[in-house]
């Protein structure tokens, strides 16, 4: 019997549980289409704001060691008005397309969310955990690092739009479970986690940070155990409060077994980002590996595997 | 390979003309990197005003001349793609035109200054054909001169067609003309060679060529593409697109989904003829579409 890997995330149906994470190849219709053709179950766009933004000065990325990628792109994006053209160019795609949005203020999030709802989006990811603080101009905190600020954003968006929203949280907090719960109470329909972990790389001879923005965020295989722990904290906190809201796992996924680990903690589905950088075929590969793993375990669908490891963590 | 910058020291600077210099970059410390192939590029990291001097091994080194770097215009660093124009004994050459704020500051760098280099990156020209036509437009000669140098060992018969705006823009030609069977130059203002564009001359020069190589303004390359399709001759193109990262993350260099940073800069006519953005649209730093 074949394994059924289909997923329903806030009424968005996906053939498999892999989503393209925001920020990787998601800024143009051409590259999004290419990822869709290569087996992603859903696509999340680059985070789009109210107006065009150039991003931070280079270097915007740096790979100090294996399985570690630092970035401080600074959310370069053409603004929602122009980006809607890219979305329209993908109208024939049979893979769900989920816009990721950001703003400087809660109201800006709401404006962008509304525009995408009108353009036909069925689900929106809300990026409250980026950009990396603008170290040169003294901005130190993200929305996602303040429960109150994040709740404000969620409420502002929910007031304006009817479609479900998924809020992407930052790991750079002490109690991510508390923040997740507050966000859900404010009306979030799903949570995705984690965004990058705040990080820095120093050039030892020049004695200075490498990234143009000085500081940035770390992604890649090395963050996976940290991300799993944060996801577990979120799921346990929501469970304890009796909130049945889907959680989407993100961080360091490169294989089918990596996906299984997240599913075992109870996520609805997962996102792949950094690993797409050197392997566009990663989605197909991961899905095949996950299928194989589930067959070996005698599972038929994702509900058979979801949450099986949580019993160790109560 | 890790996508990280290694420090290189500027070993030698060759002034090509009023606006163009060739910088020879030598690894600052012992590092292993693959020998660059013609068509590949590096991401060049220029640090900002604030990190202009450093001490190492008893010597004072500079990333830039603090006295000449303009604090106002270069308060922040930059990371830009640069085609490799030559290679010799572990030294990489890049030929840089003073064109924008970053290249303007880079032109102030002197021998002994430090820069960061990530690469060599991207794919490269394939040595195909026995009698090849090379079409260079302006600064496009930079990667092509490296190609021509490397072709000399492949026993290929090379005809070079080069287009410039004016005679002062004729670059690097002395290094390579001895490897060419013929060299034809066009200038927009008629100050050298044929007055006009390379597209005027290409059918005249075209003979029994079995491969075309080209780099230059995209409008010119579009002509070369149309010409190569019409003549049914395979061609290879060195492309330029805005890129934030150079490693397949940002996706801003996407040409109908082909990432120029990873799948390029070199694309062949078979792929390029179906790409509708080629010769018409590019993304800027914000990802907004711009008409070429």
């Amino acid at each position: 019997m074949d394994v059924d890997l289909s997923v329903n995330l806030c009424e968005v149906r996906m053939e498999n549980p892999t989503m393209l994470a925001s920020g990787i190849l998601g800024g143009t219709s051409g590259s999004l289409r290419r990822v869709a053709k290569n087996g992603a179950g859903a696509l999340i766009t680059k985070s789009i704001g109210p107006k065009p933004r150039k991003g931070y000065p280079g270097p915007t990325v740096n790979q100090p060691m294996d399985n570690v990628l630092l970035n401080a792109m600074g959310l370069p994006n053409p603004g929602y008005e122009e980006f809607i053209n890219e979305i329209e160019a993908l109208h024939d795609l049979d893979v769900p397309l989920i816009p990721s949005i950001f703003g400087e203020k809660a109201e800006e999030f709401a404006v962008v969310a509304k525009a995408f709802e009108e353009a036909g989006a069925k689900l929106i990811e809300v990026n409250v955990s980026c950009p990396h603080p603008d170290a040169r101009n003294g901005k130190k905190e993200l929305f996602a690092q303040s429960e109150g600020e994040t709740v404000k954003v969620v409420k502002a968006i929910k007031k304006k739009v009817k479609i479900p929203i998924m809020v992407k949280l930052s790991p750079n907090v002490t109690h991510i479970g508390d923040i997740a719960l507050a966000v859900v109470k404010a009306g979030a329909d799903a949570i995705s986690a984690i965004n990058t972990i705040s990080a820095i790389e120093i050039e030892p001879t020049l004695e200075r940070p490498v990234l143009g923005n000085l500081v940035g965020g770390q992604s890649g295989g090395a963050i996976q155990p940290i991300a799993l722990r944060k996801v577990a904290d979120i799921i346990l906190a929501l469970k304890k409060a009796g909130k049945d809201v889907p959680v989407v796992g993100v961080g360091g996924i490169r294989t089918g077994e990596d996906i299984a680990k997240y599913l075992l903690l109870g996520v609805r589905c997962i996102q792949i980002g950094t690993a797409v950088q050197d392997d566009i075929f990663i989605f197909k590969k991961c899905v095949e590996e996950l299928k194989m793993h589930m067959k070996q375990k005698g599972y038929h669908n994702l509900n058979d595997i979801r949450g099986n490891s949580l019993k160790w963590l109560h | 390979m890790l996508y990280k910058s290694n420090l290189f020291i500027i070993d030698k600077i060759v002034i090509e003309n009023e606006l163009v210099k060739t910088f020879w970059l030598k690894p600052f410390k012992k590092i292993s990197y693959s020998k660059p192939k013609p068509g590949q590029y590096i991401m060049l990291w220029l640090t900002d005003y604030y990190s202009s001097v450093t001490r190492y091994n008893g010597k004072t080194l500079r990333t830039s001349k603090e006295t000449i770097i303009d604090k106002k215009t270069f308060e922040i660093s930059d990371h830009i793609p640069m085609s490799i124009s030559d290679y010799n004994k572990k030294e990489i050459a890049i030929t840089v035109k003073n064109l924008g704020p970053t290249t303007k500051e880079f032109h102030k760098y002197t021998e002994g200054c430090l820069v960061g280099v990530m690469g060599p990156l991207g794919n490269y020209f394939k040595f195909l054909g026995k009698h090849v036509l090379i079409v260079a437009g302006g600064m496009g000669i930079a990667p092509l001169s490296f190609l021509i140098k490397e072709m000399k060992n492949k026993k290929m018969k090379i005809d070079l067609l080069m287009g410039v705006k004016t005679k002062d823009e004729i670059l690097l030609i002395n290094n390579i003309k001895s490897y060419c069977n013929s060299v034809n130059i066009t200038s927009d203002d008629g100050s050298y060679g044929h007055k006009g564009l390379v597209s005027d001359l290409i059918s005249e020069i075209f003979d029994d060529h079995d491969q075309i190589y080209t780099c230059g303004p995209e409008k010119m390359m579009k002509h070369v593409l149309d010409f190569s399709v019409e003549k049914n001759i395979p061609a290879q193109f060195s492309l330029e697109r805005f890129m934030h990262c150079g490693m397949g993350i940002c996706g801003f260099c996407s040409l109908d989904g082909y990432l120029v940073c990873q799948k390029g800069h070199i694309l062949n006519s078979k792929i390029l003829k179906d790409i509708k953005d080629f010769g018409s649209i590019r993304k800027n730093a914000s990802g907004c579409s711009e008409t070429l």
Side-chain angles (χ1 to χ4, degrees):
Chain A
M1 192 183 150
D2 204 23
V3 181
D4 175 15
L5 291 184
S6 65
V7 172
N8 177 342
L9 173 68
C10 303
E11 299 310 314
V12 171
R13 261 195 66 82
M14 297 160 48
E15 268 188 28
N16 70 64
T18 65
M19 307 170 102
L20 171 71
S22 182
I24 316 288
L25 306 183
T28 67
S29 55
S31 52
L32 283 164
R33 186 180 292 279
R34 194 160 144 254
V35 176
K37 276 188 188 152
N38 282 294
L43 308 170
I44 304 179
T45 71
K46 189 150 187 63
S47 293
I48 305 298
K51 51 185 187 295
R53 196 181 140 104
K54 277 186 180 164
Y56 289 146
T60 54
V61 288
N62 183 260
Q63 220 178 9
M65 61 193 84
D66 283 331
N67 296 315
V68 171
L69 178 73
L70 263 58
N71 91 82
M73 302 290 294
L75 295 173
N77 81 95
Y80 70 90
E81 281 172 0
E82 169 143 356
F83 193 74
I84 281 173
N85 300 331
E86 304 284 332
I87 289 191
E88 278 167 2
L90 294 168
H91 66 93
D92 58 322
L93 217 61
D94 50 8
V95 176
L97 181 65
I98 300 163
S100 167
I101 64 162
F102 77 96
E104 303 272 330
K105 290 179 261 177
E107 298 72 43
E108 287 184 357
F109 279 90
V111 167
V112 181
K114 185 76 192 159
F116 283 124
E117 179 180 48
E118 281 167 3
K122 300 282 183 278
L123 172 66
I124 283 171
E125 184 175 75
V126 182
N127 182 359
V128 283
S129 38
C130 227
H132 308 289
D134 185 349
R136 289 177 189 277
N137 294 314
K139 184 180 173 288
K140 292 278 189 291
E141 202 167 59
L142 313 164
F143 281 101
Q145 284 171 312
S146 152
E147 195 178 300
E149 290 295 314
T150 308
V151 163
K152 240 192 254 171
V153 171
V154 172
K155 283 187 171 160
I157 300 170
K158 288 303 282 187
K159 224 166 109 183
K160 273 264 174 74
V161 305
K162 292 193 178 63
I163 51 170
I165 65 168
M166 170 163 76
V167 180
K168 188 170 185 179
L169 297 183
S170 166
N172 306 311
V173 295
T174 313
H175 300 295
I176 199 167
D178 293 351
I179 293 183
L181 192 55
V183 164
V184 167
K185 281 181 179 162
D189 303 276
I191 299 283
S192 50
I194 59 175
N195 207 319
T196 56
I197 300 169
S198 66
I200 192 168
E201 166 70 351
I202 300 285
E203 211 305 314
T205 304
L206 302 181
E207 304 182 340
R208 57 160 292 136
V210 174
L211 292 172
N213 187 51
L214 310 176
V215 299
Q218 180 174 328
S219 62
I223 73 163
Q224 191 190 113
I226 300 169
L228 285 168
R229 173 69 194 272
K230 295 286 178 187
V231 165
D233 287 351
I234 293 168
I235 287 179
L236 290 171
L238 294 179
K239 226 178 154 169
K240 201 173 150 197
K243 298 284 180 194
D244 184 22
V245 164
V247 175
V248 176
V250 201
I253 293 173
R254 297 161 301 177
T255 69
E257 287 201 355
D258 291 345
I259 300 177
K261 294 180 203 175
Y262 278 91
L263 289 166
L264 287 164
L265 292 172
V267 301
R268 184 67 53 94
C269 54
I270 58 91
Q271 299 177 5
I272 304 178
T274 306
V276 183
Q277 177 259 325
D278 58 3
D279 184 10
I280 189 92
F281 307 114
I282 188 105
F283 297 98
K284 264 185 196 145
K285 180 192 90 101
C286 283
V287 166
E288 283 315 308
E289 287 169 353
L290 177 64
K291 246 183 210 169
M292 186 57 73
H293 176 79
M294 291 191 38
K295 266 186 192 163
Q296 305 279 4
K297 295 288 294 180
Y299 295 147
H300 302 302
N301 61 52
L302 295 174
N303 278 333
D304 294 342
I305 186 171
R306 271 197 196 106
N308 290 354
S309 297
L310 282 176
K311 60 176 181 271
W312 304 97
L313 299 168
H314 277 292
Chain B
M1 185 200 83
L2 289 174
Y3 288 88
K4 64 181 280 188
S5 293
N6 288 302
L7 291 184
F8 277 60
I9 197 156
I10 299 172
D11 193 36
K12 197 172 81 179
I13 298 175
V14 181
I15 295 169
E16 307 288 357
N17 67 31
E18 211 178 309
L19 284 176
V20 180
K21 291 178 179 178
T22 296
F23 297 83
W24 282 89
L25 311 174
K26 183 169 84 176
F28 176 57
K29 291 177 190 168
K30 209 177 160 194
I31 51 159
S32 65
Y33 67 93
S34 53
K35 180 177 183 266
K37 298 186 172 84
Q40 284 192 302
Y41 71 104
I42 58 166
M43 288 297 281
L44 178 72
W45 174 30
L46 302 184
T47 59
D48 51 46
Y49 172 85
Y50 299 104
S51 62
S52 43
V53 178
T54 191
R55 286 191 64 78
Y56 192 80
N57 203 10
K59 279 186 226 152
T60 298
L61 297 162
R62 295 171 192 284
T63 46
S64 58
K65 272 237 168 177
E66 57 171 344
T67 48
I68 53 173
I69 286 296
D70 183 353
K71 185 177 167 190
K72 258 201 194 125
T73 61
F74 216 63
E75 211 172 349
I76 51 175
S77 59
D78 206 357
H79 204 213
I80 51 172
M82 280 289 158
S83 278
I84 295 167
S85 61
D86 208 346
Y87 175 82
N88 188 25
K89 292 178 190 151
K90 291 261 167 201
E91 290 197 18
I92 289 174
I94 51 174
T95 301
V96 182
K97 187 172 186 178
N98 178 347
L99 203 65
T102 302
T103 48
K104 181 182 166 199
E105 293 305 321
F106 188 46
H107 265 244
K108 297 175 184 170
Y109 278 45
T110 54
E111 285 159 7
C113 287
L114 288 174
V115 294
V117 171
M118 186 167 105
L121 301 169
N123 70 352
Y124 39 86
F125 288 115
K126 309 282 181 299
F127 293 106
L128 297 170
K130 290 199 168 67
H131 185 193
V132 303
L133 176 61
I134 295 189
V135 184
M139 287 302 293
I141 191 66
L144 293 172
S145 74
F146 184 26
L147 174 72
I148 291 168
K149 260 191 158 172
E150 294 287 305
M151 275 177 168
K152 70 181 178 211
N153 305 322
K154 311 274 176 193
K155 292 186 179 143
M156 293 159 92
K157 190 175 164 193
I158 303 164
D159 291 317
L160 173 64
L161 170 59
M162 185 173 177
V164 291
K165 285 201 184 90
T166 182
K167 130 178 139 192
D168 295 343
E169 287 187 2
I170 301 169
L171 290 174
L172 305 172
I173 200 82
N174 291 333
N175 305 341
I176 48 172
K177 63 182 176 200
S178 60
Y179 309 132
C180 297
N181 172 59
S182 74
V183 175
N184 281 281
I185 294 176
T186 68
S187 56
D188 296 3
D189 64 358
S191 54
Y192 195 93
H194 172 88
K195 183 177 178 186
L197 303 169
V198 290
S199 47
D200 307 336
L201 217 56
I202 190 165
S203 33
E204 221 173 281
I205 289 168
F206 186 73
D207 191 7
D208 62 345
H209 298 102
D210 51 6
Q211 188 84 202
I212 301 175
Y213 298 82
T214 184
C215 182
E218 206 159 298
K219 289 270 183 214
M220 180 206 89
M221 289 201 287
K222 183 72 170 68
H223 279 290
V224 175
L225 175 66
D226 294 344
F227 181 79
S228 73
V229 170
E230 181 197 316
K231 299 284 180 194
N232 201 21
I233 300 297
Q236 299 177 47
F237 301 78
S238 172
L239 301 177
E240 188 185 30
R241 276 294 184 273
F242 182 85
M243 46 184 76
H244 281 284
C245 70
M247 59 181 287
I249 294 275
C250 73
F252 279 49
C253 64
S254 158
L255 258 177
D256 291 5
Y258 271 95
L259 296 183
V260 170
C261 71
Q262 275 184 322
K263 294 266 169 184
H265 293 178
I266 313 304
L267 289 183
N268 62 36
S269 45
K270 214 170 136 188
I271 294 170
L272 216 48
K273 70 180 168 39
D274 296 325
I275 290 183
K276 59 182 189 320
D277 286 353
F278 179 64
S280 60
I281 285 171
R282 65 191 298 162
K283 301 282 183 197
N284 66 15
S286 315
C288 295
S289 294
E290 284 177 350
T291 309
L292 280 168

